[in-house]
Amino acid sequence: MMWSLRHVRGLALSNEGSIVPLFLEVSNRSISVNSGSKGENVKLLIDGEFRESRSSSWIDVLNPATQEVVSRLPLTTNQEFNEAVQSAKDAFPKWRDTALPNRIRVMLKLQDLIRKHTDELALSITTEQGKTLSDAKGDVFRGLEVVEASCGIAPFLAGDVLENMAAGIDCYSIRQPLGVVAGICPFNFPAMVPLWMIPVAVTSGNTMVLKPSERDPGAAMILADLALQAGLPKGVLNIVHGTRDVVNSILDHPDIKAVAFVGSDQAGKHIYQRGCANGKRVQSNMGAKNHAVIMPDADVDSTVQALTGAAFGAAGQRCMAISAAVFVGGFEKWKQPLLDCVKALKVGAGIEPDTDVGPVISKESKARCEKLIQAGIDQGAQCLIDGRGVKVPGYEHGNFVGPTLLAGVKTNMDCYQDEIFGPVLSCLEVDTLDEALAVVNSNEHGNGTAIFTRSGAAARRFQHEVEVGMVGINVPIPVPLPFMFSFTGWRGSFAGDLHMYGKAGVHFFTQPKTITTKWNPEDVALCAGAVASTSSAVKGTGGRIPGLDRVGA
């Protein structure tokens, strides 16, 4: 069983047994960009320099397993924010005109540096965010895939051409970068989400202002330093820190043309509405309630393992986590195997090599999880496994919530209707696939879903009729690879029209320009030294005046 749980997590566990200061050695120089050394101040990145903020307001970045202060994060001042935007604006003309192969070469170097420093990045993530080291390495790797995909970005930047759309007239389109763009990142994937944004935006020719999560900025700072060492010119990437005020500054600044966001419903709706009201292009990836539909013919062992990994990995703090399991034909035959699998999970600090479920990000998140668990019980759900009150020796102050299994859940219960964003799996029962589809489609969110079955007919009907943007068939977390596809949440999980990374992501950060051309045939002779007469030039147009014949022809 333990082998299967490790297989679900997908990566071998690391052997580091203690937290060490995160001074990262890269390219023979010591970086102190505040990736996690205890009590240090997190720097800003403006115009290619890591700067100490002049702010008088700071936030403590805490280790969620210990409550120790990892670093201090500044709330960027208005002047510092404007300097960051101006740096990006000043850098844009030259970066836009940099040959695409040269921009790609920066990404090639960056992916190499990220591979070499995955361990440092993972340790920063575990220290600040709490997830296990193996989960943290997965966080880095999934972001690395977007860097790799950006090295092959050229086909997504290609335009179209139509020859002789009218007599002697050609028409073609090209894609050009927008200018200064911005990214606003969540706490749950400190490396992956910045890497969803930065490589696509800058390889397309834009310059960027990035705001990492105020809860775990370390990984983004390490990535920014690696990007500079990979050859990214000063001003192409700038990093600011803060909370709502800095977000609003991003949304209101006239020089920022587009905003990419991943995070909660409340923040996402505000960002989309305010950004659009200010004339910006916005892609807003928001909350989720992801369902797994389990058909009676599904393989028990592999399905139970998949549910366990998808519900409780990363302590349930994933926008693609399975938080609702819909059992078609009843839950009884699944109950004991699922109980056995979930009970085998070990709760602990992410730094410990045998931990399966780390802490949630904050005391507030822990309290929210516990409140929704109790609400489910009060409203009639059965708590088969209760993760509240779990104690981890040596980490008594950690934000731990153990894996929790609620059965008999109904769609009108708070534990179902709200996104818990913690290690809680709600189990529902229905009689038919029709009813399962109705449950999934009636939920306001449409991020991800999965069906477990051996029936091709059931799977095909499910994928066709379910109103969700990412569908897995016997795959619990169907996050698309970025080399061709995009992260395609639907309905309440996404606001915008162009999704993140992949072809849609490139198109989000670029805009089409269409050019119509006409060249006089007699100009060929002029190039050879002949001089065309005025009468022959008129004759070349057929005696008609351009603009008065067929609208511009």
Side-chain angles (χ1 to χ4, degrees), residues 251 256-258 273-282:
L251 300 175
I256 293 177
K257 306 302 181 184
Q273 292 167 1
R274 187 160 177 163
C276 290
N278 285 322
K280 302 185 190 308
R281 185 178 291 186
V282 180

Side-chain angles (χ1 to χ4, degrees), residues 27-350:
S27 299
N28 297 319
R29 68 182 179 88
S30 179
I31 310 169
S32 179
V33 292
N34 319 105
S35 53
S37 295
K38 186 181 295 185
E40 287 188 354
N41 293 340
V42 180
K43 300 286 198 301
L44 305 170
L45 175 60
I46 300 175
D47 206 32
E49 296 180 356
F50 291 102
R51 300 182 184 177
E52 189 79 28
S53 175
R54 301 182 293 274
S55 178
S56 60
S57 300
W58 297 74
I59 296 174
D60 286 341
V61 177
L62 302 178
N63 183 328
T66 65
Q67 306 307 316
E68 294 176 343
V69 176
V70 177
S71 57
R72 297 174 66 247
L73 177 136
L75 304 186
T76 304
T77 68
N78 288 334
Q79 181 179 347
E80 290 166 341
F81 177 79
N82 289 332
E83 289 173 358
V85 177
Q86 187 63 46
S87 173
K89 184 178 180 180
D90 292 344
F92 173 65
K94 186 175 181 179
W95 181 244
R96 173 194 58 198
D97 293 341
T98 298
L100 178 59
N102 290 336
R103 299 200 299 260
I104 289 173
R105 289 184 185 104
V106 174
M107 292 300 109
L108 287 167
K109 180 62 175 176
L110 178 59
Q111 63 86 25
D112 179 60
L113 289 171
I114 291 172
R115 286 182 182 279
K116 290 177 179 177
H117 297 283
T118 294
D119 287 346
E120 291 91 338
L121 284 159
L123 188 55
S124 172
I125 293 167
T126 296
T127 303
E128 294 182 345
Q129 199 273 347
K131 64 178 66 176
T132 65
L133 282 167
S134 59
D135 272 339
K137 289 179 181 179
D139 188 332
V140 176
F141 182 75
R142 292 311 300 265
L144 176 62
E145 291 178 327
V146 182
V147 182
E148 294 171 333
S150 296
C151 296
I153 201 172
F156 295 157
L157 290 171
D160 298 296
V161 62
L162 179 62
E163 187 180 33
N164 282 327
M165 62 172 288
I169 295 178
D170 303 328
C171 188
Y172 59 95
S173 65
I174 59 176
R175 300 202 70 88
Q176 293 188 323
L178 301 177
V180 181
V181 299
I184 302 170
C185 302
F187 74 83
N188 55 330
F189 284 96
M192 184 184 76
V193 173
L195 290 175
W196 279 8
M197 300 174 181
I198 298 169
V200 182
V202 302
T203 313
S204 297
N206 301 280
T207 56
M208 184 169 233
V209 176
L210 186 80
K211 192 202 87 67
S213 171
E214 65 276 12
R215 296 188 182 276
D216 46 18
M221 300 306 295
I222 295 173
L223 290 169
D225 189 87
L226 295 177
L228 294 180
Q229 294 183 55
L232 201 66
K234 69 176 185 178
V236 174
L237 175 63
N238 300 268
I239 295 184
V240 297
H241 303 291
T243 55
R244 186 183 181 95
D245 287 346
V246 173
V247 169
N248 286 338
S249 294
I250 289 172
L251 300 175
D252 294 343
H253 200 292
D255 289 333
I256 293 177
K257 306 302 181 184
V259 179
F261 168 79
V262 178
S264 68
D265 280 349
Q266 182 179 6
K269 290 175 182 177
H270 169 77
I271 287 167
Y272 183 74
Q273 292 167 1
R274 187 160 177 163
C276 290
N278 285 322
K280 302 185 190 308
R281 185 178 291 186
V282 180
Q283 54 178 196
S284 182
N285 294 270
M286 299 180 287
K289 175 64 72 170
N290 303 309
H291 300 73
V293 173
I294 300 93
M295 300 297 290
D297 65 337
D299 177 75
V300 174
D301 186 55
S302 63
T303 300
V304 164
Q305 290 182 37
L307 287 176
T308 301
F312 305 115
Q317 298 176 119
R318 295 188 289 213
C319 62
M320 288 291 283
I322 293 294
S323 58
V326 184
F327 293 90
V328 178
F331 177 55
E332 194 58 35
K333 85 167 187 176
W334 302 94
K335 181 177 177 180
Q336 194 58 50
L338 189 56
L339 283 170
D340 292 341
C341 200
V342 176
K343 286 179 179 178
L345 298 174
K346 182 176 179 180
V347 180

